[in-house]
Amino acid sequence: MVNFAYVIAGSEATGGAGIQADLRTFQQLGAYGVGTLTCIVSFDPKANWSHRFVPVEAQVVADQIEAATSAYDLDTVKIGMLGTPATIDVVADGLRQQQWRHIVVDPVLICKGQEPGAALDTDTALRRQILPLATVTTPNLFEARTLAGMEEISTVDDLIEAARRIAELGPRYVVVKGGVEFPGDDAVDVLFDGDDAEVLRAPKVGDARVAGAGCTLAAAITAELANGSEVTEAVRRAKEFTTAGIVARVGGNAPFDAVWQGGQ
Ligand code: PXL
């Protein structure tokens, strides 16, 4: 019997990030992917690939959650980009309708196409309504600085301190991702379980950001959890899966490459 992995996230029209990356990841890791769409992001190639953002109507998000959770007994879900306070309201409400074994939250904070005021409302709603429900959350450096209220994260101790502060917002496990911006030759992530921190390292694959890396990591954690792994094991395997996907990345006419989930 196949295990189900559920994702509530946005579409990114080039297919590199968002729900397209999530569902490819689930498929590669042998989980049956079920998806609920929250918004549509279409980069604008005529305007420096800036983000054009359109939310899916809140009631339509609620309807999708109802359909998905009624059809199957889902117990493992990834939350990706939500985008507006109204979407966050219905997703938080939908999540509270049943018990979950795991809720993996990728705290996608800002989308460049949004007005700053709206983005701040969205950050606050995410922090208050979604983050406390998370069993695992996976902030990148920017999100970690914002959520932890730290101006600078440039050492492993900073990563651990950020994880500790974010855990106080409610998530049981916090994975802070150093990414290419973090100093040094390694891509360093910290996994904090509420007591102890484990440092995960892999050599950086170039210095450029690769689209879909964050989405893929959180989706791979979700698929591994759906397939029965413990959190620590799921995070370790997800990092290996994502690193292999970055190595095998695809390029086209956009000024960024994208993770290929078939890399492993
Ligand atoms: O990588 C973050 C992300 C997540 N989800 C959607 C996105 C993006 C970034 O562009 O568009 C839908």
Side-chain angles (χ1 to χ4, degrees):
M1 237 281 286
V2 68
N3 296 302
F4 288 84
Y6 181 33
V7 55
I8 302 176
S11 164
E12 188 274 275
T14 73
I19 205 160
Q20 291 89 338
D22 296 325
L23 292 173
R24 282 196 301 271
T25 301
F26 292 170
Q27 183 71 16
Q28 285 290 334
L29 293 173
Y32 184 101
V34 177
T36 285
L37 202 65
T38 56
C39 60
I40 300 171
V41 172
S42 313
F43 295 153
D44 185 353
K46 299 183 299 311
N48 200 24
W49 300 84
S50 60
H51 292 208
R52 293 177 289 200
F53 166 83
V54 178
V56 171
E57 195 187 318
Q59 184 57 49
V60 178
V61 176
D63 292 349
Q64 293 174 78
I65 295 173
E66 183 186 21
T69 56
S70 301
Y72 301 111
D73 295 327
L74 305 172
D75 67 2
T76 307
V77 59
K78 171 190 160 170
I79 310 298
M81 184 169 171
L82 297 177
T84 73
T87 306
I88 288 171
D89 282 345
V90 292
V91 170
D93 216 42
L95 291 175
R96 279 194 294 264
Q97 300 303 311
Q98 66 162 82
Q99 296 275 7
W100 298 90
R101 201 158 53 82
H102 279 292
I103 300 179
V104 178
V105 176
D106 187 9
V108 180
L109 281 188
I110 51 161
C111 174
K112 282 176 229 154
Q114 283 181 280
E115 292 163 39
L120 191 62
D121 282 359
T122 304
D123 292 3
T124 305
L126 188 85
R127 180 197 297 259
R128 291 209 183 125
Q129 294 172 252
I130 303 291
L131 219 48
L133 307 175
T135 54
V136 186
T137 190
T138 59
N140 63 22
L141 222 46
F142 167 76
E143 291 152 356
R145 281 195 295 262
T146 306
L147 293 170
M150 291 169 68
E151 265 174 34
E152 188 176 303
I153 298 177
S154 56
T155 66
V156 170
D157 282 346
D158 292 344
L159 290 172
I160 295 170
E161 175 60 19
R164 200 178 289 282
R165 292 188 191 191
I166 294 166
E168 281 168 14
L169 303 173
R172 194 143 17 107
Y173 294 84
V174 180
V175 181
V176 180
K177 304 172 290 186
V180 288
E181 200 193 318
F182 188 78
D185 294 332
D186 287 345
V188 183
D189 302 329
V190 160
L191 167 61
F192 181 67
D193 68 5
D195 293 313
D196 298 310
E198 177 177 336
V199 179
L200 305 167
R201 290 176 179 274
K204 279 182 188 168
V205 183
D207 293 322
R209 304 178 68 123
V210 176
C215 300
T216 300
L217 184 87
I221 294 170
T222 307
E224 294 289 354
L225 292 170
N227 287 333
S229 290
E230 296 302 321
V231 172
T232 306
E233 191 55 32
V235 172
R236 284 188 202 134
R237 288 198 195 167
K239 184 167 173 74
E240 285 172 17
F241 179 86
T242 305
T243 302
I246 293 170
V247 171
R249 66 194 177 276
V250 297
N253 303 318
F256 44 81
D257 291 343
V259 172
W260 164 230
Q261 287 75 17
Q264 212 172 37

